[in-house]
Coordinates of all heavy atoms in Angstrom, one line a residue:
M98 N 56.8 115.6 46.5 CA 55.4 115.4 45.9 C 54.8 114.2 46.7 O 55.5 113.1 46.9 CB 55.5 115.1 44.4 CG 54.1 115.0 43.8 SD 54.2 114.8 42.0 CE 54.5 116.5 41.6
K99 N 53.7 114.3 47.1 CA 53.0 113.2 47.8 C 52.1 112.4 46.9 O 51.0 112.5 46.9 CB 52.2 113.8 48.9 CG 53.0 114.5 50.0 CD 52.3 114.9 51.2 CE 53.2 115.6 52.2 NZ 52.8 115.5 53.5
T100 N 52.8 111.5 46.2 CA 52.1 110.5 45.3 C 52.7 109.2 45.3 O 53.8 109.0 45.8 CB 52.2 111.1 43.9 OG1 53.5 111.1 43.5 CG2 51.5 112.4 43.7
I101 N 51.9 108.3 44.9 CA 52.3 106.9 44.8 C 52.1 106.6 43.3 O 51.2 106.9 42.7 CB 51.4 106.0 45.6 CG1 51.5 106.4 47.1 CG2 51.6 104.5 45.4 CD1 51.4 105.4 48.1
V102 N 53.1 105.9 42.7 CA 53.2 105.7 41.3 C 52.8 104.2 41.1 O 53.5 103.3 41.6 CB 54.4 106.0 40.6 CG1 54.4 105.7 39.2 CG2 54.7 107.5 40.8
L103 N 51.8 104.0 40.2 CA 51.5 102.6 39.8 C 51.8 102.6 38.3 O 51.4 103.2 37.5 CB 50.0 102.3 39.9 CG 49.4 102.4 41.4 CD1 47.9 102.2 41.4 CD2 50.1 101.4 42.3
A104 N 52.7 101.6 38.0 CA 53.2 101.4 36.7 C 53.1 100.0 36.1 O 53.8 99.2 36.8 CB 54.6 102.0 36.5
A105 N 52.4 99.8 35.0 CA 52.4 98.5 34.5 C 53.7 98.2 33.9 O 54.2 97.0 33.9 CB 51.3 98.5 33.4
A106 N 54.5 99.1 33.4 CA 55.8 98.8 32.8 C 56.8 98.3 33.7 O 57.5 97.4 33.4 CB 56.3 100.1 32.1
A107 N 56.7 98.8 35.0 CA 57.7 98.4 36.0 C 57.4 97.0 36.3 O 58.2 96.2 36.9 CB 57.5 99.3 37.2
L108 N 56.2 96.4 36.1 CA 55.9 95.1 36.3 C 56.2 94.1 35.2 O 56.0 93.0 35.4 CB 54.4 95.0 36.6 CG 53.9 96.0 37.7 CD1 52.4 95.9 37.7 CD2 54.4 95.7 39.0
G109 N 56.8 94.7 34.2 CA 57.2 93.8 33.1 C 56.1 93.2 32.2 O 56.2 92.2 31.7
L110 N 54.9 93.9 32.2 CA 53.8 93.3 31.5 C 53.7 94.0 30.2 O 53.9 95.1 30.0 CB 52.5 93.6 32.3 CG 52.5 93.0 33.7 CD1 51.3 93.5 34.5 CD2 52.5 91.5 33.6
V111 N 53.3 93.2 29.2 CA 53.2 93.6 27.8 C 51.8 93.2 27.3 O 51.3 92.1 27.6 CB 54.2 92.9 26.9 CG1 54.1 93.3 25.5 CG2 55.6 93.1 27.5
A112 N 51.3 94.1 26.5 CA 49.9 93.8 25.9 C 50.0 92.8 24.8 O 51.0 92.7 24.1 CB 49.4 95.1 25.3
T113 N 49.1 91.8 24.8 CA 49.1 90.9 23.8 C 47.9 91.0 22.9 O 46.9 91.5 23.4 CB 49.1 89.4 24.4 OG1 47.9 89.3 25.1 CG2 50.3 89.1 25.2
P114 N 48.0 90.7 21.5 CA 46.9 91.0 20.7 C 45.6 90.2 21.2 O 44.5 90.9 21.1 CB 47.3 90.5 19.4 CG 48.8 90.4 19.4 CD 49.1 90.3 20.8
A115 N 45.7 89.1 21.7 CA 44.5 88.3 22.0 C 43.9 88.9 23.3 O 42.7 88.8 23.4 CB 44.9 86.9 22.3
F116 N 44.7 89.3 24.2 CA 44.1 89.8 25.5 C 44.4 91.3 25.7 O 45.0 91.6 26.7 CB 44.5 89.1 26.7 CG 44.0 87.7 26.8 CD1 44.8 86.6 26.6 CD2 42.6 87.6 27.1 CE1 44.3 85.4 26.8 CE2 42.1 86.3 27.1 CZ 43.0 85.1 27.0
A117 N 44.3 92.2 24.9 CA 44.6 93.6 25.1 C 44.8 93.9 26.5 O 43.9 94.7 27.1 CB 43.6 94.5 24.4
G118 N 45.8 93.4 27.2 CA 46.0 93.7 28.6 C 46.7 95.0 28.9 O 46.6 95.9 28.0
P119 N 47.4 95.2 30.0 CA 47.9 96.4 30.3 C 49.0 96.8 29.4 O 49.8 96.0 28.9 CB 48.7 96.1 31.7 CG 48.0 94.8 32.2 CD 47.5 94.1 30.9
A120 N 48.9 98.1 29.0 CA 49.8 98.5 27.9 C 51.2 98.8 28.6 O 51.3 99.3 29.6 CB 49.2 99.9 27.3
K121 N 52.2 98.4 27.9 CA 53.6 98.6 28.4 C 53.9 100.1 28.5 O 53.6 100.8 27.5 CB 54.6 97.9 27.4 CG 56.0 98.0 28.0 CD 56.9 97.2 27.1 CE 58.4 97.2 27.8 NZ 59.3 96.4 27.0
G122 N 54.4 100.5 29.5 CA 54.7 101.9 29.8 C 53.6 102.7 30.4 O 53.8 103.9 30.7
E123 N 52.5 102.1 30.6 CA 51.4 102.9 31.1 C 51.6 103.0 32.7 O 52.0 102.0 33.4 CB 50.0 102.2 30.8 CG 48.9 103.0 31.1 CD 47.6 102.3 30.5 OE1 47.8 101.5 29.7 OE2 46.5 102.7 31.1
S124 N 51.3 104.2 33.2 CA 51.4 104.4 34.6 C 50.4 105.4 35.1 O 49.9 106.2 34.2 CB 52.8 104.7 35.1 OG 53.2 105.9 34.5
T125 N 50.3 105.6 36.3 CA 49.5 106.6 36.9 C 49.9 107.0 38.3 O 50.7 106.2 38.9 CB 47.9 106.3 36.9 OG1 47.2 107.4 37.2 CG2 47.6 105.1 38.0
S126 N 49.6 108.1 38.8 CA 50.0 108.5 40.1 C 48.8 108.7 41.0 O 47.7 109.1 40.5 CB 50.7 109.9 40.0 OG 51.9 109.7 39.4
V127 N 48.9 108.4 42.3 CA 47.9 108.5 43.2 C 48.3 109.5 44.3 O 49.3 109.3 45.0 CB 47.6 107.1 43.9 CG1 46.4 107.3 44.9 CG2 47.1 106.1 42.7
S128 N 47.5 110.5 44.4 CA 47.9 111.5 45.4 C 47.4 111.2 46.7 O 46.3 110.8 46.9 CB 47.4 112.9 44.9 OG 47.6 113.9 45.9
F129 N 48.3 111.5 47.8 CA 47.8 111.4 49.2 C 48.0 112.7 49.9 O 48.0 112.8 51.1 CB 48.4 110.2 49.9 CG 50.0 110.3 49.9 CD1 50.6 110.8 51.0 CD2 50.7 109.6 49.0 CE1 52.0 110.8 51.1 CE2 52.1 109.7 49.1 CZ 52.7 110.2 50.1
A130 N 48.2 113.8 49.1 CA 48.3 115.1 49.7 C 47.1 115.5 50.5 O 46.0 115.2 49.9 CB 48.6 116.2 48.6
G131 N 47.2 115.9 51.6 CA 46.1 116.3 52.5 C 45.5 115.1 53.2 O 44.5 115.4 54.1
L132 N 46.0 113.9 53.1 CA 45.5 112.8 53.9 C 46.4 112.6 55.0 O 47.6 112.7 54.9 CB 45.4 111.4 53.1 CG 44.5 111.4 51.9 CD1 44.6 110.1 51.2 CD2 43.1 111.7 52.4
D133 N 45.8 112.2 56.2 CA 46.6 112.0 57.4 C 46.7 110.4 57.4 O 45.8 109.7 57.8 CB 45.8 112.4 58.7 CG 46.7 112.2 59.9 OD1 47.8 111.5 59.8 OD2 46.3 112.6 61.0
L134 N 47.9 110.0 57.0 CA 48.1 108.5 56.9 C 48.3 107.8 58.2 O 48.4 106.7 58.3 CB 49.2 108.2 56.0 CG 49.1 108.7 54.5 CD1 50.2 108.3 53.6 CD2 47.7 108.1 53.9
E135 N 48.3 108.6 59.3 CA 48.4 108.1 60.6 C 47.1 107.6 61.2 O 47.0 107.0 62.2 CB 49.1 109.0 61.6 CG 50.6 109.3 61.2 CD 51.2 110.3 62.2 OE1 51.1 110.1 63.4 OE2 51.9 111.2 61.7
T136 N 46.0 108.0 60.4 CA 44.6 107.6 60.8 C 44.1 106.5 59.9 O 44.5 106.4 58.8 CB 43.7 108.7 60.8 OG1 43.5 109.1 59.4 CG2 44.2 109.9 61.6
A137 N 43.3 105.6 60.5 CA 42.6 104.5 59.7 C 41.8 105.2 58.5 O 41.8 104.6 57.5 CB 41.8 103.7 60.6
E138 N 41.2 106.3 58.7 CA 40.4 106.9 57.8 C 41.2 107.4 56.6 O 40.9 107.1 55.4 CB 39.6 108.1 58.3 CG 38.7 108.7 57.3 CD 37.9 109.9 57.9 OE1 37.9 110.1 59.1 OE2 37.4 110.7 57.0
G139 N 42.3 108.0 56.9 CA 43.2 108.5 55.8 C 43.8 107.3 55.0 O 43.9 107.4 53.8
Q140 N 44.2 106.2 55.7 CA 44.7 105.0 55.0 C 43.6 104.4 54.2 O 43.9 103.9 53.1 CB 45.2 104.0 56.1 CG 46.5 104.6 56.7 CD 47.0 103.6 57.7 OE1 46.7 102.4 57.8 NE2 47.7 104.1 58.8
K141 N 42.4 104.4 54.7 CA 41.3 103.7 53.9 C 41.0 104.5 52.6 O 40.8 103.9 51.5 CB 40.0 103.7 54.7 CG 38.9 102.9 54.2 CD 37.7 102.9 55.1 CE 36.5 102.3 54.4 NZ 35.3 102.2 55.3
I142 N 41.0 105.8 52.6 CA 40.8 106.6 51.5 C 41.9 106.4 50.5 O 41.6 106.2 49.3 CB 40.7 108.2 51.9 CG1 39.5 108.4 52.7 CG2 40.7 109.1 50.7 CD1 39.4 109.8 53.4
L143 N 43.2 106.4 51.0 CA 44.3 106.1 50.0 C 44.1 104.8 49.4 O 44.4 104.6 48.1 CB 45.6 106.3 50.8 CG 46.8 106.0 49.9 CD1 46.9 107.0 48.7 CD2 48.1 106.2 50.7
Q144 N 43.8 103.8 50.2 CA 43.6 102.4 49.6 C 42.6 102.4 48.5 O 42.7 101.6 47.5 CB 43.4 101.3 50.7 CG 44.5 101.1 51.6 CD 45.8 100.6 50.8 OE1 45.7 99.9 49.9 NE2 46.9 101.0 51.3
A145 N 41.5 103.1 48.7 CA 40.4 103.2 47.7 C 40.9 103.8 46.4 O 40.7 103.4 45.3 CB 39.3 103.9 48.2
R146 N 41.8 104.8 46.6 CA 42.3 105.6 45.5 C 43.3 104.7 44.7 O 43.3 104.6 43.5 CB 43.1 106.8 45.8 CG 42.2 107.9 46.4 CD 43.0 109.1 46.8 NE 42.2 110.1 47.4 CZ 42.7 111.3 47.9 NH1 43.9 111.5 48.0 NH2 41.9 112.2 48.6
I147 N 44.1 103.9 45.4 CA 45.1 103.0 44.8 C 44.3 101.9 44.1 O 44.7 101.6 43.0 CB 46.0 102.4 45.9 CG1 47.0 103.5 46.4 CG2 46.8 101.2 45.3 CD1 47.7 103.1 47.6
D148 N 43.4 101.4 44.7 CA 42.5 100.2 44.0 C 42.0 100.7 42.7 O 42.1 100.0 41.7 CB 41.4 99.8 45.0 CG 40.7 98.7 44.4 OD1 41.2 97.5 44.3 OD2 39.5 98.8 44.1
S149 N 41.4 101.9 42.7 CA 40.7 102.5 41.5 C 41.9 102.7 40.4 O 41.7 102.3 39.3 CB 40.1 103.8 41.9 OG 39.6 104.3 40.7
A150 N 43.0 103.2 40.9 CA 44.0 103.4 39.9 C 44.6 102.1 39.4 O 44.9 102.1 38.2 CB 45.2 104.3 40.5
A151 N 44.8 101.1 40.2 CA 45.4 99.9 39.7 C 44.5 99.2 38.8 O 44.8 98.7 37.8 CB 45.6 99.0 41.0
R152 N 43.1 99.3 39.1 CA 42.1 98.7 38.1 C 42.2 99.4 36.8 O 42.1 98.7 35.8 CB 40.7 98.9 38.8 CG 40.5 97.8 39.8 CD 39.1 98.0 40.5 NE 38.7 97.0 41.4 CZ 38.4 95.8 41.0 NH1 38.3 95.5 39.8 NH2 38.3 94.8 42.0
S153 N 42.4 100.7 36.8 CA 42.4 101.4 35.6 C 43.7 101.1 34.8 O 43.6 100.8 33.6 CB 42.4 103.0 35.8 OG 42.5 103.7 34.6
V154 N 44.9 101.2 35.4 CA 46.1 101.0 34.7 C 46.2 99.5 34.2 O 46.7 99.3 33.1 CB 47.3 101.2 35.7 CG1 48.6 100.7 35.1 CG2 47.5 102.8 35.9
C155 N 45.7 98.6 34.9 CA 45.8 97.2 34.6 C 44.6 96.7 33.7 O 44.5 95.5 33.3 CB 46.0 96.3 35.9 SG 47.5 96.7 36.7
Q156 N 43.7 97.6 33.5 CA 42.5 97.3 32.6 C 41.8 96.1 33.2 O 41.2 95.3 32.5 CB 42.8 97.1 31.3 CG 43.6 98.4 30.7 CD 44.0 98.1 29.2 OE1 43.8 97.1 28.6 NE2 44.8 99.1 28.7
V157 N 41.6 96.0 34.5 CA 40.9 94.9 35.2 C 39.5 94.9 34.8 O 38.8 93.8 34.6 CB 41.1 95.0 36.7 CG1 40.2 94.0 37.4 CG2 42.5 94.8 37.1
D158 N 38.8 96.0 34.7 CA 37.4 96.1 34.5 C 37.0 96.2 33.0 O 35.8 96.3 32.7 CB 36.8 97.2 35.3 CG 36.9 97.1 36.8 OD1 36.8 95.8 37.2 OD2 37.1 98.0 37.5
R159 N 38.0 96.0 32.1 CA 37.7 96.2 30.8 C 36.9 95.0 30.2 O 37.3 93.9 30.5 CB 39.0 96.3 29.9 CG 38.9 96.5 28.5 CD 40.2 96.7 27.8 NE 39.9 96.8 26.4 CZ 40.7 96.5 25.4 NH1 41.9 95.9 25.8 NH2 40.4 96.7 24.2
I160 N 35.9 95.3 29.4 CA 35.1 94.1 28.9 C 35.8 93.6 27.7 O 36.1 94.4 26.8 CB 33.7 94.6 28.6 CG1 33.0 95.1 29.8 CG2 32.9 93.6 27.9 CD1 31.7 95.8 29.7
R161 N 36.0 92.4 27.6 CA 36.7 91.8 26.5 C 35.6 91.0 25.6 O 34.7 90.3 26.2 CB 37.8 90.8 26.9 CG 38.9 91.6 27.5 CD 39.8 90.7 28.4 NE 40.9 91.6 28.9 CZ 40.8 92.3 30.0 NH1 39.7 92.3 30.6 NH2 41.9 93.0 30.5
T162 N 35.7 91.2 24.3 CA 34.7 90.5 23.4 C 34.8 89.0 23.7 O 35.9 88.5 23.6 CB 35.0 91.0 22.0 OG1 35.0 92.3 22.0 CG2 34.0 90.3 21.1
G163 N 33.6 88.4 23.7 CA 33.6 86.9 23.8 C 33.8 86.4 25.2 O 33.7 85.1 25.2
T164 N 34.1 87.1 26.1 CA 34.3 86.4 27.4 C 34.0 87.6 28.6 O 34.1 88.7 28.4 CB 35.7 86.0 27.6 OG1 35.9 85.3 28.9 CG2 36.7 87.1 27.5
R165 N 33.6 86.9 29.7 CA 33.4 87.7 30.8 C 34.5 87.6 31.9 O 34.5 88.2 32.9 CB 32.0 87.5 31.6 CG 30.9 87.9 30.7 CD 29.6 87.6 31.4 NE 28.5 88.0 30.6 CZ 27.3 88.3 30.9 NH1 27.0 88.3 32.3 NH2 26.4 88.6 30.1
L166 N 35.5 86.7 31.5 CA 36.6 86.4 32.4 C 37.6 87.5 32.2 O 37.9 88.0 31.2 CB 37.2 85.0 32.1 CG 36.2 83.8 32.2 CD1 36.9 82.6 31.7 CD2 35.8 83.7 33.6
K167 N 38.2 87.9 33.4 CA 39.4 88.8 33.3 C 40.6 88.0 32.9 O 40.8 86.9 33.3 CB 39.6 89.4 34.7 CG 38.4 90.2 35.2 CD 38.5 90.7 36.6 CE 37.3 91.5 36.9 NZ 36.9 91.4 38.2
S168 N 41.4 88.7 32.2 CA 42.7 88.1 31.7 C 43.6 87.8 32.8 O 43.6 88.6 33.8 CB 43.4 88.8 30.5 OG 44.0 90.0 31.1
S169 N 44.4 86.8 32.8 CA 45.4 86.5 33.8 C 46.4 87.6 33.8 O 46.9 87.9 34.9 CB 46.0 85.2 33.6 OG 46.7 85.1 32.4
E170 N 46.6 88.2 32.7 CA 47.7 89.3 32.7 C 47.1 90.5 33.5 O 48.0 91.1 34.2 CB 48.0 89.8 31.3 CG 48.8 88.8 30.5 CD 47.8 87.8 29.6 OE1 46.6 87.9 29.9 OE2 48.3 87.0 29.0
A171 N 45.9 90.9 33.4 CA 45.3 92.0 34.1 C 45.3 91.7 35.6 O 45.5 92.6 36.4 CB 43.9 92.2 33.6
R172 N 44.9 90.5 35.9 CA 44.9 90.1 37.4 C 46.3 90.1 38.0 O 46.5 90.6 39.1 CB 44.3 88.7 37.6 CG 42.8 88.6 37.4 CD 42.2 87.3 37.8 NE 42.9 86.1 37.2 CZ 42.5 85.5 36.1 NH1 41.5 86.0 35.4 NH2 43.2 84.5 35.7
D173 N 47.3 89.6 37.3 CA 48.7 89.6 37.7 C 49.2 91.0 37.9 O 49.8 91.4 38.9 CB 49.6 88.9 36.7 CG 49.4 87.4 36.8 OD1 48.7 86.9 37.8 OD2 49.8 86.8 35.9
C174 N 48.8 91.9 36.9 CA 49.2 93.3 36.9 C 48.6 93.9 38.1 O 49.3 94.7 38.9 CB 48.8 94.0 35.6 SG 49.0 95.9 35.7
Y175 N 47.3 93.7 38.4 CA 46.6 94.4 39.5 C 47.3 93.9 40.9 O 47.5 94.7 41.7 CB 45.2 93.9 39.4 CG 44.3 94.4 40.6 CD1 43.9 95.8 40.8 CD2 44.0 93.6 41.7 CE1 43.2 96.1 41.8 CE2 43.2 93.9 42.7 CZ 42.7 95.3 42.7 OH 42.1 95.8 43.8
A176 N 47.5 92.7 41.0 CA 48.1 92.2 42.2 C 49.5 92.8 42.5 O 49.9 93.2 43.6 CB 48.3 90.6 42.2
K177 N 50.3 92.9 41.4 CA 51.7 93.4 41.5 C 51.6 94.9 41.8 O 52.4 95.5 42.5 CB 52.4 93.1 40.3 CG 52.8 91.6 40.2 CD 53.6 91.2 39.0 CE 53.9 89.8 38.9 NZ 54.5 89.4 37.7
A178 N 50.7 95.6 41.1 CA 50.6 97.1 41.3 C 50.2 97.4 42.7 O 50.7 98.3 43.4 CB 49.6 97.7 40.4
R179 N 49.2 96.6 43.3 CA 48.8 96.7 44.7 C 49.9 96.5 45.7 O 50.1 97.1 46.6 CB 47.6 95.8 45.0 CG 46.4 96.1 44.3 CD 45.5 97.1 44.8 NE 45.2 96.7 46.3 CZ 44.5 97.4 47.1 NH1 43.9 98.5 46.7 NH2 44.3 97.1 48.3
A180 N 50.7 95.4 45.4 CA 51.9 95.0 46.3 C 52.9 96.2 46.2 O 53.5 96.6 47.3 CB 52.5 93.8 45.8
S181 N 53.1 96.7 45.0 CA 54.1 97.8 44.9 C 53.6 99.0 45.7 O 54.3 99.7 46.4 CB 54.3 98.2 43.5 OG 55.1 99.4 43.3
A182 N 52.3 99.3 45.5 CA 51.7 100.5 46.2 C 51.8 100.3 47.7 O 52.1 101.3 48.5 CB 50.3 100.7 45.8
K183 N 51.6 99.1 48.2 CA 51.6 98.7 49.7 C 52.9 99.1 50.2 O 53.1 99.8 51.3 CB 51.4 97.3 49.9 CG 51.2 97.0 51.3 CD 50.8 95.4 51.5 CE 50.7 95.1 52.9 NZ 50.2 93.7 53.0
R184 N 54.1 98.8 49.5 CA 55.4 99.2 50.0 C 55.6 100.8 50.0 O 56.2 101.3 50.9 CB 56.5 98.6 49.1 CG 56.5 97.1 49.2 CD 57.8 96.5 48.5 NE 57.7 96.7 47.1 CZ 57.0 95.8 46.2 NH1 56.4 94.8 46.7 NH2 57.0 96.1 44.9
Q185 N 55.1 101.4 49.0 CA 55.1 102.9 48.9 C 54.3 103.5 50.1 O 54.7 104.5 50.7 CB 54.7 103.4 47.6 CG 55.6 103.0 46.4 CD 55.1 103.5 45.1 OE1 55.0 104.7 44.9 NE2 54.8 102.5 44.2
V186 N 53.1 102.9 50.3 CA 52.3 103.4 51.4 C 53.0 103.3 52.8 O 53.0 104.2 53.6 CB 50.9 102.8 51.4 CG1 50.1 103.1 52.7 CG2 50.1 103.2 50.2
A187 N 53.6 102.2 53.0 CA 54.4 102.0 54.2 C 55.4 103.0 54.4 O 55.6 103.5 55.5 CB 55.0 100.6 54.3
T188 N 56.1 103.3 53.3 CA 57.2 104.3 53.4 C 56.6 105.7 53.7 O 57.1 106.5 54.5 CB 58.0 104.4 52.1 OG1 58.5 103.0 51.9 CG2 59.0 105.4 52.1
A189 N 55.5 106.0 53.0 CA 54.8 107.3 53.2 C 54.3 107.5 54.7 O 54.4 108.5 55.3 CB 53.7 107.5 52.2
I190 N 53.7 106.4 55.2 CA 53.3 106.5 56.6 C 54.4 106.6 57.6 O 54.3 107.5 58.4 CB 52.6 105.2 57.0 CG1 51.1 105.1 56.3 CG2 52.2 105.0 58.5 CD1 50.5 103.8 56.3
A191 N 55.5 106.0 57.4 CA 56.7 106.1 58.2 C 57.2 107.6 58.1 O 57.5 108.2 59.1 CB 57.8 105.1 57.8
D192 N 57.2 108.1 56.9 CA 57.6 109.6 56.7 C 56.8 110.5 57.5 O 57.3 111.4 58.1 CB 57.6 109.9 55.2 CG 58.9 109.2 54.4 OD1 59.8 108.7 55.1 OD2 58.8 109.3 53.1
Q193 N 55.4 110.3 57.4 CA 54.6 111.2 58.2 C 54.8 111.0 59.7 O 54.7 112.1 60.4 CB 53.2 111.0 57.7 CG 52.6 111.7 56.5 CD 51.2 111.6 56.3 OE1 50.4 111.1 57.1 NE2 50.7 112.2 55.2
Q194 N 55.1 109.8 60.1 CA 55.2 109.7 61.6 C 56.4 110.3 62.1 O 56.5 110.7 63.2 CB 55.3 108.2 61.9 CG 53.9 107.5 61.8 CD 53.9 106.0 61.9 OE1 55.1 105.3 61.8 NE2 52.8 105.3 62.3
F195 N 57.4 110.4 61.2 CA 58.7 111.0 61.6 C 58.9 112.4 61.1 O 60.0 112.9 61.0 CB 59.8 110.1 61.2 CG 59.9 108.8 61.8 CD1 59.6 107.7 61.1 CD2 60.1 108.7 63.2 CE1 59.6 106.4 61.7 CE2 60.1 107.5 63.8 CZ 59.8 106.3 63.0
G196 N 57.7 113.1 60.7 CA 57.6 114.5 60.4 C 58.2 114.7 58.9 O 58.4 115.9 58.6
G197 N 58.2 113.7 58.1 CA 58.7 113.9 56.6 C 57.7 114.4 55.7 O 56.7 114.8 55.9

């Protein structure tokens, strides 16, 4: 299956009552089926999909009552999800280059 999995649970993040941050156990998959990851265009499309999925899973864009600031938990989750996805993308690109 040609997907990248972004999981808040794998990052060890837990929702707190004050900052309803990323829910423990929440994850999503990002498909790259049909994308040619050997091209800059294919990689750009995949990065946009990953960014959107990471923002959703980590609730980065969620409006919190009383503040316009993003919680540090959401920012940390987002950064870690992107880093995890980056490793998975590198593996997927290598697999495509070697006919996998």
